[in-house]
Amino acid sequence: MAAVDLTTHPGHLARRLQQAHYLLWNTMVSEEITSPQFAVLNALVAEPGLDQRTVGERVGLDRSTIAEVISRLGRRGLLDKVRDPQDGRRFLLRLTDEGVRTHRKLTVRTARMNQVFLAPLSADEQTLFFDLIRRVSDAAEGLRNPVEPLAVRS
Amino acid sequence: MAAVDLTTHPGHLARRLQQAHYLLWNTMVSEEITSPQFAVLNALVAEPGLDQRTVGERVGLDRSTIAEVISRLGRRGLLDKVRDPQDGRRFLLRLTDEGVRTHRKLTVRTARMNQVFLAPLSADEQTLFFDLIRRVSDAAEGLRNPVEPLAVRS
DNA sequence: AGTAATTAGTCAGGGCACTGATTATTTCAG
DNA sequence: CTGAAATAATCAGTGCCCTGACTAATTACT
């Protein structure tokens, strides 16, 4: 009696959207490299030598998850990890040649996949789609890290 | 040089959206029951006595995942699982009283959470948001199960 | 009736995602 | 300069998500 219509629940829709994407990625882009892994490669192409934590921040992965993802990419020989001589807590990350090649190859396929994925929407709708999702995500992210209460320095 | 802007990649946005939702759910709805678990409870409120596979279909979870989710709900005493006497392969699922109570409680909180989550969008934009995401997901889902090619019976 | 194909569910294995606790290093304060 | 706070990374634990291989039960085809 009291059942609810999940198609008006953003969380449920978000999950379905991600599943749909996962499937398409698997068939059109790669079965080896996942979408989050590609995001890490991409971040390191843009800014080589980043440390692990910062990469996680760039692509939206927490400290634990980014460690796993990086470990997998390292095992596949797509990136190198070296202690920062300036700060012994950090590891600096840099793509190998193989990592750069992989990124380049997947960039092309990803673009094709995105076209297919978004094909049901007109160009205007696609823009709107990005905008709406981004606004909702950013707002929720903001709730997470409440703006520092402007601490009053005694 | 060849780095790409992930904010125009639907997969990346979908992942971020889901993370944002996960966080909000955890703080505003429940730390025990997850959103997919609630979806299962909801499906069984709507249609008590469904079998496992069909529940999975209703909420969009594959056979393996639905088995895990149901096992957790069973462990928590929120549902019962009995062999179908008509078909010994199936398990029929039914919420316990505790399961019904939990569903009712979470329904209220979920509605509140959805309001907060969608607050950055106007009413019209919310409708559009649902519509765009649903269209993209459904289309991708369609690619997955290509329409049976109308097999020509010799 | 008896074998073949289908179907429901399980299991093993890989990957993503979060929290809370721990370790090592650096920085800050007195 | 030394003890305390902060920071980068790891680890253990839980849960979601998929695939491919397998088992058990049912249905369909001779």
Side-chain angles (χ1 to χ4, degrees), chain A residues 148-154:
Chain A
E148 288 292 327
L150 247 343
V152 183
R153 214 69 176 84
S154 65

Side-chain angles (χ1 to χ4, degrees), chain B residues 34 36-37 61-65 72 87-89 144:
Chain B
T34 65
Q37 285 173 21
L61 292 175
D62 68 293
R63 63 204 186 294
S64 288
T65 306
R72 286 180 203 112
D87 184 340
R89 290 168 300 183
R144 181 87 187 107

